[in-house]
Amino acid sequence: MIPPQFEYYRASSIDDAIKALSEDPNAKALAGGQSLIPLLKLRALSPSKLIDIGRIRELRYIRQAGRGLTIGALTTHADLERWAGPCGVLPEAARQIGDPQIRSMGTIGGSLAHADPAADWPAVVLALGAMIKIAGPSGPREVPAEEFFQGPYTTALQQGELITEVLVPECPPKSSYVKIARAYNDFAIAGVAAAVWAEGGYINEIRLAATGVGLKPVRLKKAEEAARGRKAGEDVLLEVAEAASKEVDAISDVRASAEYRRAMAGVAARRALRRALGL
Amino acid sequence: MKHVGRPIPRLEDYHLLYGGARYLDDIELPGQLYAGFVRSPYPHARVKRVDASEALSMPGVVAVFTPQSGRPFDFAPGGKVRYQGEAVAMVVAADRYLLYDALEKVYVDYEPLPAVVDPIKAMEPGAPVIDESLGTNIAKREKYASGDAERALSSSDRVVEEELVIERTVPAPMEPHGVLAAYDGRTLLVYDSTQKPHIVRREIAKSLDVPLTAVRVVQPDVGGGFGSKIQVYPEEIRVATAAMALRRPVKWVATRSEDFKMTTYGRGLILRYKAGFTRDGVLKAIKGEVIADAGAYDWFGFELASTAVTMLPAAYKVRDLDVDAVSVLTNKPPLGPYRGAGRPEATFFIERIMDLIADETGLDPVEVRRRNLVEAAPYENPFGMSYDSGEYVAGLQRGIEATGYYDLIRNAESERARGRTLGVGMSFYIEITTYGHEVAIVRAERDGSFTVAVGIAPHGQGDATGIAQLVADELQIPIDKVRVVWGDTDLVPDGLGTDGSRSLTAGGSAAVLAARRLLDELKKAAEAMVGGPVEYSNGTFRSGDKAVSIAEVVEAAYRGKVKAQLEAMEVYRAKATYPYGVGVVVVELDPETGLVKPLLYRSYDDVGVVVNPLLAAGQIHGGALQGISQVLYEDVVYDQEGNLATPNFAFYHIPKATEAPRYEPHFAEAPHRSEHPTGTKGVGEAPTIAAAAAAIKAVEDAIRRATGKKVRLRRSPVRPEEIYRLLRE
């Protein structure tokens, strides 16, 4: 790796990190480094300073909280891959990220803050209806996942702010994440996370979210509507797929055309829902 | 105990797998400087001015070489850059980080020119001309004709016209390109991540106008090449020249992204053709042209096109052919050899034609091949290639049986009934390996062990193990008494390195003959020692009840008690030889997405004598995956302006273990030997050649099973998106 020159500072606490980040508008927080380091290697970024938050141990945890979960920002993909509690979508999505080396280093907070439009976690936190907890120079705040992602590599994070926690208010009894990619663990052409509350074969409540399709991860609200209150079956799955395909704002790039992405968003939505329902 | 034919684990394993390896970037020399290249962001531009003053003023920057530096740096020849990533200047600095900062401070004034990256468009009138001295982008065109193609076409029952495209691939070895050169006032020592140390030596000596003795090239451990380290790149000459000029060691190692910019690319051939055949499925004629997407400089494009043309008839009877080989300049890095170099393309083209005939006549694809195949070698193909040995019709039959091809077809049918969509494809290939001379020196050591120095330059293939087996058998000694060394121009005076599936055949034969000659020498010495004619077996010379061991003879010779040559050098001229066989690929298609996963590769190869089945199977594994991957994954994409849209592994997909199929290689039980002392024909490229042709057929087969319609695939790679579209047409 031959990046441009930068200073390095290892933060001892969240407050210490916030202070260091606030002092320097060109500083960047370094967590697992799985997105930041490649950008440095390519010299696509030239931060003046890296504030290494990777050793702040209190940010690495997964805890049950009522019917939900709290996940520390520095929890690695590998930690989540091993999670055996509620919110089964977490290990399911984690094992589809990168390779074992990447999963051992990369963190959920780092992935969310980086906001790659083809990343896996953004769809999952949207489907889980998560709150993103943020600490910053003007105190802590919470942003709903839906408001957090604003565009490619752009989030609600302000200067000096850090993600500290992902809060899932209530784990869905059924959930799934399906990624359509050229090969196992590649970036998503389309990925859909599903969170489902069903009883007696009826879908009472549902959240669907897609990644990889457009410029930012999105809730698939029309597809949710097609399923909400319906008896789970193949016809519903088809309607969900069709609605998902129609509602996404797909882009064309070197990986796929907008048309193909739209179709794959439908396939991913159908498969995610089917898998969540265990059909 | 015989060693040849046994699956002996690579003698190189401990060194390579337990951290003993030293790759180019592991080597550090005192006072070493680092070189890096300023590369054009434009695919085609006039270089008006290079301003290096700011870079030169940075502390630690030692030198900047620019177009003004002249030969042999030779930046921006003709005042232009012709592809995105072409070097325009070189910075030499004391520190690698500083170097990369300084590279950003060299200012180049470009005048962008219209670019063309599509070879077909490059041939059209009005296309931007890349080499003004040619006045056209057609660098070379040559006709290969035999019989009367026009007449044979007009007398055919059916004539089909189409275009088959094999897009470019990135060779992508684990270790990128790199070189380290140091001049001590007497000798220029060059460490180079290359497949051909002796060729590098010759090129550097020529460029610097010094005798060969002034240059020593060392090939350290090399992390793969796949053909991309055959070419001697301008970078290698420039680094050597800088080391000489600055009298300090200079190292350059490409980053992965830089490697994507400067390496030679593979494949990149198009066949436009008409083929005529009878209603019985017999191919009568091919008329057309093979067009190489040669890139900005025609280093190898024409050779690849002409190899693809001369091997196009394969082992089929067709003799009425009229095919041009054409190389076309485009604003891309130069085309180069890549595992198979012309033969995978020839096989892909002719096997696509065989599949087409099967489709058009309704005949079984295997039957079509059987009807067209020449019975057996020796056979001279219409372009004068002399196939040395083999039974093609019988080989096809054995291959189909060994691979269980029809069982796989039946399995695909029954799986379809269970909702899985499999596809099965087969190919029959014949290819050409081995050329040129090769050098080996066998030296007796004082304790009766032997050092074998070779001019081949293996880089992971395990040839040293194969050669040790051959030499141990020739000398009838245990393999642990044989050490094989290579990769240093001080060890042997010449050699052509490792490429073209030739190393074990050419290098091994040279070693066997050198060992034989040395043993003769030692036998004469033994006779002098015992005073009568001797018989040799298993390390001992015997005459009646007298016996003397090979170690005793060598020891006596080293002490001057008996006269004997203790070293023998063989320069072996290796003729071409022709392996052949059958490859079968099974894939699974997801009809909802168009995504395809390879499941199985089975092969039957008659590659002559198999010296080491373990090494041969290893070649089948890697080679087959490369062939399959070319069809399923590897996609080099350019945008309209000629910018590379797949500049690194984030965008360019090479297969990982998760994509690898199951491999089941079979080798001919009674192989047809080559004429070489080893009897080998080479196996390094055969699987790549067989697998790509079989893989595209497997994908086509899967789409047909899903749709019930006859689709025809004409382009490699097959993008999932295209399959998705075909599934819905």
Side-chain angles (χ1 to χ4, degrees):
Chain A
M1 185 185 73
I2 310 149
Q5 195 174 349
F6 56 83
E7 281 180 60
Y8 173 87
Y9 179 72
R10 183 182 291 169
S12 57
S13 68
I14 299 167
D15 288 342
D16 187 31
I18 291 166
K19 186 164 166 284
L21 281 168
S22 313
E23 280 167 1
D24 183 346
N26 294 318
K28 282 286 253 181
L30 172 70
Q34 299 307 293
S35 304
L36 183 56
I37 301 290
L39 289 173
L40 293 175
K41 279 171 108 166
L42 294 170
R43 294 198 160 217
L45 275 185
S46 43
S48 53
K49 195 186 248 185
L50 292 187
I51 312 298
D52 186 356
I53 59 171
R55 313 288 172 108
I56 306 176
R57 300 214 167 242
E58 66 258 36
L59 288 183
R60 187 170 175 180
Y61 57 86
I62 313 173
R63 292 186 198 120
Q64 282 187 246
R67 289 196 291 172
L69 285 181
T70 56
I71 305 163
L74 292 181
T75 306
T76 64
H77 311 318
D79 295 337
L80 288 153
E81 192 180 358
R82 288 189 288 265
W83 173 247
C87 279
V89 69
L90 294 170
E92 190 186 4
R95 81 176 73 94
Q96 296 178 61
I97 298 171
D99 51 40
Q101 291 91 327
I102 288 172
R103 296 200 286 275
S104 295
M105 290 297 290
T107 66
I108 187 168
S111 171
L112 296 174
H114 181 59
D116 186 309
D120 300 296
W121 288 129
V124 174
V125 297
L126 280 178
L128 290 174
M131 300 295 287
I132 311 297
K133 287 195 167 183
I134 293 168
S138 43
R141 64 188 182 111
E142 285 185 17
V143 178
E146 267 181 81
E147 291 163 28
F148 183 77
F149 303 103
Q150 298 180 341
Y153 313 102
T154 313
T155 67
L157 284 173
Q158 302 287 322
Q159 168 71 39
E161 286 188 329
L162 279 175
I163 299 177
T164 53
E165 186 180 276
V166 176
L167 173 110
V168 182
E170 184 191 339
C171 278
K174 295 170 190 296
S175 59
S176 187
Y177 175 69
V178 168
K179 171 154 80 169
I180 311 285
R182 187 106 183 225
Y184 188 70
N185 292 359
D186 200 357
F187 279 105
I189 292 168
V192 171
V196 186
W197 287 259
E199 227 181 315
Y202 282 86
I203 299 166
N204 294 333
E205 184 48 41
I206 178 169
R207 272 194 299 266
L208 294 168
T211 186
V213 186
L215 296 173
K216 60 174 190 172
V218 285
R219 279 276 294 280
L220 300 172
K221 295 198 173 168
K222 298 246 166 68
E224 291 170 4
E225 255 170 58
R228 197 170 285 124
R230 301 276 301 275
K231 188 166 168 51
E234 284 302 318
D235 53 335
V236 175
L237 293 176
L238 283 173
E239 286 174 46
V240 163
E242 205 185 318
S245 281
K246 275 192 188 147
E247 73 181 291
V248 291
D249 197 1
I251 53 155
S252 289
D253 65 14
V254 64
R255 270 193 196 93
S257 71
E259 188 194 354
Y260 183 57
R261 276 212 162 83
R262 227 190 296 283
M264 291 308 103
V267 173
R270 185 169 74 233
R271 288 184 178 177
L273 183 52
R274 178 186 286 147
R275 203 188 285 172
L277 291 166
L279 287 178
Chain B
M1 183 171 56
K2 248 177 85 76
H3 299 91
V4 169
R6 287 170 48 210
I8 295 170
R10 272 194 314 189
L11 304 176
E12 297 91 325
D13 274 352
Y14 190 85
H15 171 77
L16 291 174
L17 303 180
Y18 291 83
R22 291 289 172 270
Y23 296 94
L24 179 83
D25 209 7
D26 295 322
I27 302 167
E28 302 279 340
L29 295 177
Q32 178 182 295
L33 301 171
Y34 294 88
F37 294 91
V38 179
R39 296 183 179 278
S40 169
Y42 298 103
H44 196 191
R46 215 163 284 291
V47 177
K48 295 172 77 179
R49 209 169 70 93
V50 178
D51 178 1
S53 52
E54 189 177 340
L56 272 169
S57 73
M58 293 167 76
V61 171
V62 175
V64 180
F65 300 96
T66 69
Q68 282 86 52
S69 307
R71 297 192 69 87
F73 290 101
D74 210 17
F75 286 109
K80 290 209 306 186
V81 281
R82 293 152 211 241
Y83 59 94
Q84 193 177 53
E86 183 168 2
V88 280
M90 174 167 81
V91 177
V92 182
D95 167 287
R96 206 173 246 173
Y97 293 86
L98 179 72
L99 166 71
Y100 275 75
D101 292 339
L103 287 173
E104 292 175 359
K105 302 293 179 198
V106 176
Y107 301 103
V108 184
D109 198 357
Y110 296 100
E111 180 193 327
L113 299 168
V116 60
V117 291
D118 177 347
I120 300 297
K121 285 188 182 143
M123 291 169 82
E124 288 167 3
V129 173
I130 293 162
D131 184 344
E132 282 89 353
S133 70
L134 288 175
T136 165
N137 290 323
I138 298 174
K140 193 168 177 188
R141 177 186 282 275
E142 213 167 277
K143 182 173 282 302
Y144 291 80
S146 146
D148 188 340
E150 205 56 69
R151 206 175 62 190
L153 279 174
S154 59
S155 66
S156 293
D157 296 331
R158 280 278 283 128
V159 175
V160 173
E161 183 170 4
E162 65 173 11
E163 186 177 296
L164 298 169
V165 179
I166 305 171
E167 296 285 356
R168 284 179 160 216
T169 53
V170 184
M174 293 259 263
E175 186 200 17
H177 292 281
V179 59
L180 164 60
Y183 183 61
D184 64 5
R186 221 163 43 137
T187 310
L188 182 66
L189 170 61
V190 182
Y191 294 96
D192 197 338
S193 180
T194 178
Q195 295 176 231
K196 290 177 167 282
H198 290 89
I199 307 293
V200 173
R201 183 196 197 200
R202 273 197 257 164
E203 289 294 316
I204 289 175
K206 199 170 80 185
S207 298
L208 295 174
D209 198 21
V210 296
L212 279 179
T213 48
V215 183
R216 174 183 170 204
V217 175
V218 175
Q219 174 205 40
D221 288 307
V222 169
F226 305 123
S228 70
K229 293 173 184 171
I230 287 173
Q231 175 70 34
V232 181
Y233 293 77
E235 282 84 349
E236 292 164 79
I237 306 292
R238 289 164 183 157
V239 169
T241 308
M244 195 96 168
L246 300 169
R247 307 270 160 133
R248 303 253 315 253
V250 179
K251 182 197 271 187
W252 163 71
V253 178
T255 63
R256 180 60 63 183
S257 303
E258 187 178 16
D259 206 71
F260 268 64
K261 290 189 176 90
M262 54 71 60
T263 192
T264 53
Y265 278 58
R267 305 292 179 261
L269 297 188
I270 297 167
L271 172 67
R272 288 166 146 185
Y273 77 102
K274 275 188 211 171
F277 48 92
T278 68
R279 61 179 64 85
D280 306 331
V282 176
L283 177 63
K284 301 303 288 182
I286 304 172
K287 184 174 165 59
E289 54 184 355
V290 170
I291 300 161
D293 175 5
Y297 301 93
D298 191 10
W299 287 346
F300 226 89
F302 182 77
E303 273 193 69
L304 293 171
S306 67
T307 303
V309 172
T310 51
M311 288 307 292
L312 186 63
Y316 299 120
K317 287 181 243 175
V318 60
R319 297 199 72 89
D320 291 308
L321 297 153
D322 179 351
V323 187
D324 283 8
V326 190
S327 54
V328 178
L329 300 183
T330 52
N331 292 112
K332 294 177 181 172
L335 200 63
Y338 172 61
R339 205 168 190 168
R343 295 102 79 202
E345 298 89 336
T347 302
F348 184 93
F349 292 148
I350 191 67
E351 291 302 280
R352 284 280 71 200
I353 293 172
M354 287 295 143
D355 288 333
L356 177 82
I357 295 172
D359 289 347
E360 297 288 324
T361 57
L363 290 166
D364 182 279
V366 177
E367 177 59 19
V368 169
R369 286 162 173 90
R370 197 188 61 76
R371 288 183 186 187
N372 282 283
L373 276 174
V374 170
E375 194 66 39
Y379 174 73
E380 187 175 296
N381 95 359
F383 300 132
M385 316 298 271
S386 295
Y387 301 169
D388 54 342
S389 63
E391 293 171 278
Y392 306 127
V393 174
L396 172 69
Q397 186 57 34
R398 289 184 197 116
I400 292 301
E401 283 164 18
T403 58
Y405 170 73
Y406 287 109
D407 289 337
L408 294 171
I409 295 272
R410 276 189 289 276
N411 179 58
E413 279 161 11
S414 59
E415 285 295 319
R416 181 69 192 147
R418 272 178 239 139
R420 282 179 81 198
T421 310
L422 306 187
V424 184
M426 61 79 58
S427 68
F428 181 91
Y429 77 92
I430 180 161
E431 65 128 341
I432 173 171
T433 78
T434 314
Y435 67 91
H437 66 278
E438 204 43 76
V439 182
I441 296 172
V442 178
R443 186 172 72 229
E445 305 288 355
R446 274 194 75 155
D447 64 352
S449 64
F450 292 83
T451 298
V452 183
V454 287
I456 58 164
H459 37 284
Q461 295 89 343
D463 291 302
T465 304
I467 288 176
Q469 288 175 264
L470 288 162
V471 170
D473 281 2
E474 187 64 34
L475 298 177
Q476 302 178 51
I477 55 174
I479 195 168
D480 60 13
K481 293 214 184 283
V482 181
R483 175 171 172 251
V484 180
V485 295
W486 71 95
D488 186 335
T489 58
D490 271 3
L491 291 172
V492 278
D494 201 21
L496 297 180
T498 282
D499 62 354
S501 298
R502 66 189 282 282
S503 292
L504 199 52
T505 304
S509 292
V512 164
L513 294 177
R516 196 171 291 170
R517 209 129 49 75
L518 181 58
L519 189 60
D520 274 351
E521 278 293 319
L522 296 175
K523 191 176 173 192
K524 275 185 240 159
E527 284 171 346
M529 284 169 76
V530 301
V534 295
E535 288 294 318
Y536 177 72
S537 85
N538 298 323
T540 308
F541 298 99
R542 285 174 209 282
S543 174
D545 54 0
K546 286 189 210 155
V548 58
S549 76
I550 202 164
E552 287 165 336
V553 176
V554 172
E555 171 70 9
Y558 269 112
R559 293 174 66 187
K561 292 183 168 176
V562 60
K563 259 296 179 238
Q565 296 287 333
L566 290 161
E567 189 174 273
M569 179 167 91
E570 179 74 23
V571 179
Y572 181 71
R573 177 104 202 137
K575 273 171 56 182
T577 176
Y578 295 80
Y580 64 96
V582 171
V584 175
V585 172
V586 181
V587 299
E588 179 164 8
L589 166 68
D590 177 348
E592 288 183 348
T593 60
L595 293 167
V596 174
K597 186 174 166 40
L599 299 182
L600 175 65
Y601 180 72
R602 274 189 193 156
S603 54
Y604 170 85
D605 298 284
D606 184 351
V607 292
V609 172
V610 175
V611 170
N612 185 327
L614 203 58
L615 292 177
Q619 291 297 319
I620 299 285
H621 292 193
L625 186 55
Q626 264 175 312
I628 291 167
S629 175
Q630 172 206 314
V631 171
L632 293 184
Y633 302 115
E634 300 193 41
D635 207 353
V636 177
V637 180
Y638 286 85
D639 70 12
Q640 293 293 327
E641 284 75 45
N643 301 300
L644 179 61
T646 47
N648 54 45
F649 286 149
F651 299 95
Y652 184 80
H653 191 82
I654 57 166
K656 300 180 284 274
T658 41
E659 279 84 62
R662 199 150 50 88
Y663 305 100
E664 294 172 10
H666 302 267
F667 296 102
E669 277 179 24
H672 292 77
R673 294 176 60 94
S674 67
E675 293 170 22
H676 302 290
T678 56
T680 55
K681 289 187 168 183
V683 69
E685 293 157 299
T688 319
I689 293 164
I696 192 158
K697 174 59 188 166
V699 176
E700 205 174 75
D701 186 56
I703 300 171
R704 291 173 185 202
R705 282 177 206 285
T707 60
K709 285 182 296 193
K710 272 191 181 166
V711 296
R712 170 104 175 132
L713 299 177
R714 299 187 179 87
R715 177 183 176 270
S716 160
V718 190
R719 306 190 85 190
E721 190 160 347
E722 184 194 346
I723 298 171
Y724 180 82
R725 189 176 49 75
L726 288 169
L727 288 165
R728 266 145 202 86
E729 253 172 16

